[in-house]
């Protein structure tokens, strides 16, 4: 095979002007700006801020659970903290973090100058802060206390104003996420550079295609459920209130029809990002590009038909439980294809074990644990025992923290040079990884055992016999909290002092690395040229022509623009 | 060897030719997508005159109506999918109740059929009327557009009026029973959509006063309003069947 | 992709198998099993742990080996081998999970069926008239805001019915279970006993009719590995057979308010003789006057007990106690009608 290369035009005189006049000022990030990169950063920072708020709530939860008695916070406040922790982490930390990378990377990766609808994009982002504000304000009027699932009848008979604000806030954030998804789909399907066929799209784009499809088809069902819930709450109807003939189980169906897909909305973007990170730092093509690409779509499809596995104990007919059990377990197959594909990608490579890669491999290692416990939960028979226990809490923190959050960190370390033009400090990054990895496992591994022996979730007081394991969890939670410190220091330091990155410090092949770091305002000075598949590493053994290896070309492509 | 990607190579192998390969510029002009980006990305904050990338679309491309990739309609379709799912969730919940509650509909929730049937006829036929408007525009008949859209707007208003009349004469209130609640929430939510559609039609009419705003080639607003109106119409047919005919 | 030598693969395979089999039997994660159902579930769980351990070692092992073996040598700036895929390998790792999940599904289905999960009476296959009338409550209740007894008795909450061999047979004992914020009330329709704890005989099939008065609760007995939501306005059934004498916790597993965490009770599994004795003691204690029986309800005592430590928050509790009160009135009728 010969590799034929095309090199973008050398920059003309405009390069310098560009440097001076089109640099973003910090104020831009606080305005209604339609540049997708600004919006991406806005999402990212928002996500970080709320993950800290949600994380602090988690620390309060763990502090309370260090002892069997409700002595640190009252049981009522505990429920409020727990509800807000779940809601905030899901809707204001992980979902926006996915949107952040989608916004920042999609146009760059497909060689477009911006999203299909830049204004809509900005509108979508600016719906999130008011949503967050509503949620936070609810602490002043009595925060919601019915869990992030807000099951009626409890949610219609407790914390009236808190619940109203919760609904409003979720409706806003949901709308924002639908608008975002419409933008992503349109951009990816319609605005790729002409030479980029669907099968040359980076895997992150495939993942986002699946995510956007899920968002568009399921988010509004949640909206429907919440509209009905708010009528129950405010107007006194009884859609879900048995006191008036309503049926709380219908709410559960509607809620999970969204919220199960939501868990894939929360993890698929990071599947995509990790699929980008691993090949770059293992210096090997991703293993089974098409398999990984299509499995995202399959996961999305299956994700739409398994929702009732959250309701095995609540009143679904027996044969339906069996259907949902089998469908749920099937998701292990496409997910397995990904996990095996990633493992095979790094196997035999030449691994650069930097922070991005550490978190990338940590992602596989931790997500695997959550996935395996997920398949156990999928068995309706076993779920009768562990539903609503800490086994479930352990499961979903492994997929959400071990999966989504670890993926976020991997992506942050990987694209930091692109976003800021500077390298991160690897030592701090590695410390961050080790602390996170230890703390995370210490917090969430014992929870599985706790759940199996009889600790149910959402409780502020528990059986004193379970105290030892709970204290392990609490210690782990503190360690995890500490692990954020090296990360923050690293970011703040590197953004000002980090070594200059150049255009393509990782020698990566996807298009975003063909432009300057940080990218010019409209991304590319020249329309970028697709001269290799996104993961064609290892082609340096093949000469492009007699004099130069692809490798060398790559360096120059990266260095010049 | 197992390389899955065919390499993209429009030009001969490129050993760092100092002059730009002509192909890359050509590609840009060939590509309708790239050349129209600027035009159809709804305003970006960037001052175009200052950007390095000033690919102003060649003027003549604009007139090729068929080719121009206006993604907005695509976006509208996506939005309608989401909206459909919202109605679907309400319908499914309604069906679940209907199937599981024994005395359904509960006593005291008889509904009148005559007025809603008239309303249905009005709404459904308004879709056809509206389509005539768009056809007129396609023939560059602007006043045709205005007339037909005007009639559509009137019919829409009539529909809303009928609905309001029905509400004020219904025998049951919102919280009377489950069926009553559903009746109001479903029709009300649909009515809200009709009102939005009406707003779109009126804004099309308003803008059409300005000469040249809409033409046979340029009519995103008209198209969007129409597809939305059809959507609202289809939803009504389902709703009418479920709530009035099959209840 | 360079697969390690056959010998190494073989040895690794055998080691992984042995380790997982051992772990599957000796994980010690589950509490004691006190019912037939529990033993079956544990068998399933052991299999799942075995499979999970094997997959865990396989993948984490590959990751760890990669980290150590395939590090970039210092100064080496070349890339790894350009392997894009390996179709046979990919087919294998698609097929194996398919087989695993099929096995797990079928096994789970089997156990579920044997536990009675597919009994048509309990799983929605046929209308359950028996359950419909066990929850008749006079309509006058519905104006008591949270007492949720709707006119739609057609809805059943499903649960675990009779196991296939017991289908059609009546259970040896039937107990009505009522969840309310924050206690469980057990009513024995045959004897009129009302209790805050569940007493059952060992070795006999017991059927619980589970419902709630205010919000969702869930009836969970960890040692029996079974759980069922208690839904206001509906009755779910749960049948099981205890195999071990002892005292085990009953836990509310569905968030039901601030004191959800203390909504606990006990199940006592007696030998049949002890059970009869308990019945007699109770019957002496409870006269015909049901009001009195309710007043002496141990459930109320245990409520007070758990509320005592939080005396400072009586603001919340006043409301709670009101609930309790209202519900107890309801229970009177509840048990009266179910007799
Ligand atoms: C990112 C989020 C995320 C992800 C990705 C997942 C992934 C999965 N989840 Fe999880 N889940 C949650 C977030 C997530 N979940 C949350 C938040 C809850 C609780 C909600 C609440 O009640 O508050 C929950 C609860 C939950 C339940 C309900 C438990 C209960 O309440 O009783 C179930 C039950 O089926 C379940 C199953 C699964 C399964 C089968 C997967 C699968 O997708 C996992 C697939 C992955 C693998 C299996 C690993 C890799 C595969 C291989 C290596 C191949 C070989 C493996 C096998 C053949 C086994 N999850
Ligand atoms: C993504 C989701 C997420 C994350 C990250 C976490 C993080 C943590 N969670 Fe939580 N949790 C949930 C989602 C999450 N949780 C949900 C949905 C529930 C269920 C609620 C309910 O029942 O209704 C729950 C419930 C829950 C419980 C059970 C409460 C109960 O049932 O009573 C506990 C108990 O220990 C707990 C603990 C923790 C701890 C100690 C952490 C710590 O690891 C926290 C430390 C935080 C950090 C170290 C910051 C993490 C960084 C990021 C999130 C990304 C950074 C972003 C950028 C860089 C852009 N969580
Ligand atoms: Cu009752 Cu929790
Ligand atoms: Cu799920």
């Amino acid at each position: 095979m010969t590799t034929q290369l095309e090199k973008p035009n050398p920059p003309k005189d405009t390069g310098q002007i560009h440097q001076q006049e089109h640099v973003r000022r910090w104020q831009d990030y606080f305005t209604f700006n339609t540049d997708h990169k600004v919006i991406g950063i806005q999402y990212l920072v928002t996500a970080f801020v709320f993950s800290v708020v949600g994380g602090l709530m988690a620390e309060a939860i763990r502090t309370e659970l260090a002892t069997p008695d409700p002595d640190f916070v009252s049981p009522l406040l505990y429920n409020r903290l727990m509800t807000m922790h779940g809601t905030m982490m899901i809707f204001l930390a992980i979902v926006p973090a996915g949107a952040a990378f989608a916004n920042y990377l999609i146009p760059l990766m497909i060689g477009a100058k911006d999203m299909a609808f830049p204004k809509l994009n900005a509108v979508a982002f600016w719906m999130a802060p008011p949503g967050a504000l509503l949620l936070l304000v609810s602490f002043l009027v009595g925060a919601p206390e019915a869990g992030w699932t807000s099951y009626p009848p409890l949610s219609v008979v407790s914390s009236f104003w808190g619940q109203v604000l919760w609904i409003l806030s979720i409706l806003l954030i949901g709308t924002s996420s639908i608008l975002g998804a419409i933008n992503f789909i349109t951009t990816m399907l319609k605005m790729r550079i002409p030479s980029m066929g669907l099968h040359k799209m980076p895997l992150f784009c495939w993942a986002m295609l699946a995510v956007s499809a899920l968002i568009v088809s399921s988010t509004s069902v949640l909206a429907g459920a919440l509209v009905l819930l708010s009528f129950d709450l405010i107007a006194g109807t009884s859609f879900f209130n048995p006191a008036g003939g309503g049926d709380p189980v219908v709410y559960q169906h509607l809620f999970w029809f969204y919220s199960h897909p939501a868990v894939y909305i929360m993890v698929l973007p990071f599947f995509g990002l990790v699929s980008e990170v691993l090949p770059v730092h293992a210096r090997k093509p991703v293993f089974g590009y098409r398999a990984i690409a299509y499995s995202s779509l399959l996961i999305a499809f299956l994700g739409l038909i398994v929702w009732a596995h959250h309701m095995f104990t609540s009143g679904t007919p027996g044969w339906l439980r069996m259907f949902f059990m089998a469908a749920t377990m099937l998701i292990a197959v496409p997910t397995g294809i990904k996990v095996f594909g990633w493992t095979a990608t790094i196997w035999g490579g030449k691994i650069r074990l930097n922070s991005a890669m550490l978190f990338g491999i940590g992602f596989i290692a931790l997500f695997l644990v959550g996935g395996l416990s997920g398949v156990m939960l999928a068995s309706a028979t076993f779920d009768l025992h562990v539903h609503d226990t800490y086994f479930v809490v352990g499961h979903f923190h492994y997929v959400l923290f071990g999966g989504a959050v670890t993926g976020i960190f991997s992506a942050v370390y990987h694209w930091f040079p692109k976003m800021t033009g500077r390298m991160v400090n690897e030592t701090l990054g590695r410390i961050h990884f080790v602390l996170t990895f230890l703390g995370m496992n210490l917090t969430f591994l014992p929870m599985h055992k706790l759940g199996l022996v009889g600790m149910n979730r959402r409780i502020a007081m528990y059986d004193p016999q379970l105290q030892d394991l709970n204290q392990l969890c609490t210690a782990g939670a503190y360690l995890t909290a500490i692990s954020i410190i090296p990360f923050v220091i690293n970011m703040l330091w590197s953004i000002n002092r980090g070594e200059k990155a150049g255009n393509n410090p990782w020698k990566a092949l996807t298009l975003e690395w063909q432009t300057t770091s940080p990218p010019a305002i409209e991304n590319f000075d020249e329309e970028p040229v697709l001269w290799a598949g996104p993961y064609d590493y290892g082609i340096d053994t093949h000469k492009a022509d007699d004099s130069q290896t692809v490798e060398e070309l790559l360096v120059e492509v990266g260095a010049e623009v | 060897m197992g390389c899955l990607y065919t390499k993209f190579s429009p030009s001969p192998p490129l050993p760092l030719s100092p002059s730009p390969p002509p192909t890359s510029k050509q590609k840009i002009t060939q590509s309708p997508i790239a050349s129209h980006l600027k035009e159809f990305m709804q305003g970006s904050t960037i001052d175009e005159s200052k950007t390095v990338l000033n690919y102003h679309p060649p003027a003549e491309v604009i007139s090729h109506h068929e080719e121009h990739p206006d993604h907005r309609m695509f976006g509208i379709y996506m939005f309608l999918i989401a909206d459909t799912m919202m109605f679907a969730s309400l319908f499914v919940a309604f069906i679940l109740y209907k199937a599981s509650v024994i005395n359904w509909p509960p006593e005291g929730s008889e509904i009148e059929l005559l007025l809603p049937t008239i309303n249905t006829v009005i709404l459904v036929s308004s879709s056809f009327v509206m389509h005539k408007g768009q056809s007129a525009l396609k023939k560059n008949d602007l006043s045709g557009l205005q007339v037909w859209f005007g009639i559509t707007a009137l019919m829409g208003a009539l529909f809303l009026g009928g609905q309001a009349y029905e509400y004020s004469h219904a025998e049951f209130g919102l919280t009377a029973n489950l069926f009553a609640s559903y009746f109001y929430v479903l029709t009300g939510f649909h009515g809200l959509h009709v009102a939005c559609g009406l707003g779109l039609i009126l804004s099309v009419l308003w803008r059409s006063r300005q000469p040249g705003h809409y033409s046979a080639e340029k009519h995103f607003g008209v198209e969007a309003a129409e597809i939305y109106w059809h959507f609202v119409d289809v939803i009504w047919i389902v709703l009418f069947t479920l709530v009035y005919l099959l209840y | 992709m360079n697969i390690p030598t056959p010998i190494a693969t073989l040895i690794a395979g055998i080691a992984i198998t042995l380790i997982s089999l051992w772990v599957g039997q000796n994980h010690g994660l589950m509490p004691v099993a006190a019912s037939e159902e529990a033993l079956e579930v544990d068998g399933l769980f052991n299999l799942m742990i075995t499979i999970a351990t094997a997959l865990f070692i396989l993948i984490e092992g590959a990751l760890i080996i990669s980290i150590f073996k395939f590090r970039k040598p210092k100064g080496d700036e070349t890339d790894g081998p350009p392997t894009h895929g390996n179709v046979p390998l990919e087919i294998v790792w698609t097929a194996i999970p398919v087989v695993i999940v099929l096995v797990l599904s079928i096994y789970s289905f089997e156990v579920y069926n044997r536990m009675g999960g597919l009994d048509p009476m309990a799983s929605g296959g046929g209308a359950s008239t028996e359950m419909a009338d066990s929850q008749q409550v006079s309509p006058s209740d519905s104006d008591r805001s949270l007492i949720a007894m709707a006119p739609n008795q057609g809805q059943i909450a499903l649960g675990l019915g009779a196991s296939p061999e017991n289908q059609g047979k009546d259970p040896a004992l039937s107990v009505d279970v009522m969840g309310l914020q924050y206690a469980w009330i057990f009513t024995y329709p045959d004897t009129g006993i009302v209790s805050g704890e569940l007493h059952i005989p060992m070795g006999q099939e017991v059927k619980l009719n589970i419902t709630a008065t205010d919000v969702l609760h869930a009836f969970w007995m960890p040692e029996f590995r079974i759980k069922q939501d208690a839904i206001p306005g509906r009755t779910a059934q749960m049948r099981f057979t205890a195999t071990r004498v002892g005292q085990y916790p009953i836990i509310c597993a569905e968030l039901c308010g601030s004191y959800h965490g203390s909504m606990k009770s006990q199940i006592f599994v007696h030998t049949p003789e002890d059970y009869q004795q308990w019945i007699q003691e109770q019957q002496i204690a409870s006269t015909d006057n049901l009001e009195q029986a309710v007043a002496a309800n141990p459930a109320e005592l245990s409520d007070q007990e758990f509320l005592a430590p939080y005396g400072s928050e009586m603001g919340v509790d006043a409301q709670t106690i009101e609930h309790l009160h209202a519900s107890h009135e309801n229970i009177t009728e509840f048990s009266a009608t179910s007799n």
Side-chain angles (χ1 to χ4, degrees), chain A residues 79 247 283 288 313-314 318 321-322 348-351 365 379 381 384-385 387-388 449 456 458 507 536 538 540, chain C residues 2 28 31 60 70 72 76-80 84 108 112 123 158 220 227-229 231 234 252-253 257 260:
Chain A
N79 283 358
D247 186 350
R283 309 310 300 163
T313 68
S314 74
R321 297 187 205 190
M322 295 299 107
K350 294 194 175 168
I351 298 176
S379 162
T381 321
L384 288 187
H385 178 47
H387 171 67
D388 264 338
K449 166 89 180 162
N456 47 338
R458 297 170 167 174
K507 288 182 265 165
D536 283 342
D540 52 349
Chain C
N2 56 338
E60 308 286 354
F70 301 118
K72 178 175 77 76
D76 179 357
E77 291 300 327
T78 59
D79 288 351
H84 278 286
S108 301
Y112 198 71
S123 72
L158 317 162
W220 179 35
K227 179 182 292 115
Q228 173 59 45
D229 283 13
I231 303 175
R234 297 184 180 192
C252 171
H260 161 59

Side-chain angles (χ1 to χ4, degrees), chain B residues 101-118:
Chain B
V101 178
I102 289 172
N103 318 317
W104 185 268
E107 278 166 52
S109 34
E110 281 72 40
I111 37 176
E112 181 68 46
L113 261 184
L114 180 65
L115 180 64
T117 312
I118 299 175

Side-chain angles (χ1 to χ4, degrees), chain A residues 167-244:
Chain A
I167 292 175
L168 279 178
S169 150
I170 304 296
L171 285 178
L172 261 177
I173 298 167
T175 314
S176 145
S177 129
I178 293 179
L179 297 183
I182 292 176
N183 229 328
F184 302 150
I185 297 194
T186 315
T187 310
M188 280 181 290
L189 291 184
K190 303 279 185 182
M191 294 177 57
R192 297 188 309 274
I193 52 170
S195 51
M196 184 185 277
L198 271 181
H199 289 104
K200 283 189 204 151
M201 239 177 18
L203 287 169
F204 175 62
C205 296
W206 278 96
M208 284 315 297
L209 217 51
V211 170
S212 310
L214 275 180
I215 292 179
V216 167
S217 53
S218 67
T219 309
S220 38
V221 173
L222 177 69
L226 293 185
V227 166
L228 293 182
L229 188 66
S230 56
F231 269 93
D232 276 7
L233 198 62
I234 299 166
T237 55
S238 27
F239 293 112
F240 304 131
N241 197 343

Side-chain angles (χ1 to χ4, degrees), chain B residues 43-71:
Chain B
S44 83
T45 45
I46 302 149
D47 180 353
E48 297 191 4
S49 60
K50 283 190 200 148
T51 47
V52 198
L53 296 172
N54 240 333
Y55 297 132
H56 278 296
E60 98 281 349
V61 188
I62 291 218
S63 56
H64 294 316
H65 165 62
E66 297 312 321
E67 291 168 21
H68 83 61
D70 185 342
H71 309 310

Side-chain angles (χ1 to χ4, degrees), chain A residues 256 259-264 303 306-310 328 331 395:
Chain A
W256 289 114
S259 293
H260 178 78
V263 308
Y264 298 108
V306 301
W307 72 91
H309 64 220
H310 296 274
T328 306
I331 297 189
H395 157 67

Side-chain angles (χ1 to χ4, degrees), chain A residues 90 94 148-149 151 255-256 259-260 262-268 270-271 299 306-313 324-325 327-340 342 364 367-380 382-389 391-393 395-401 403-404 457-458, chain C residues 48 51-52 55-56 58-59 93 96-102 104 227:
Chain A
I90 287 181
I94 303 300
W148 83 281
T149 48
Y151 277 6
F255 180 85
W256 289 114
S259 293
H260 178 78
V263 308
Y264 298 108
I265 294 171
M266 285 183 279
V267 86
L268 274 171
F270 308 106
F271 283 178
I299 290 175
V306 301
W307 72 91
H309 64 220
H310 296 274
M311 303 165 55
F312 281 144
T313 68
F324 282 113
M325 171 172 90
T328 306
M329 283 193 179
L330 262 189
I331 297 189
V333 177
T335 319
I337 290 176
K338 282 183 191 290
V339 169
F340 289 124
W342 293 325
I364 311 177
F367 176 80
L368 175 70
V369 179
L372 293 174
S373 61
V375 171
M376 298 185 191
L377 289 171
S379 162
F382 174 65
D383 189 57
L384 288 187
H385 178 47
V386 288
H387 171 67
D388 264 338
T389 66
F391 190 88
V392 178
V393 178
H395 157 67
F396 68 71
H397 281 97
Y398 264 92
V399 276
L400 279 169
F401 198 105
R457 58 191 279 210
R458 297 170 167 174
Chain C
M48 295 198 294
I51 296 174
L55 288 166
F56 179 84
L58 182 76
I59 295 169
W93 73 43
I96 292 181
V98 171
V99 172
I100 294 178
V101 298
L102 272 182
L104 283 183
K227 179 182 292 115

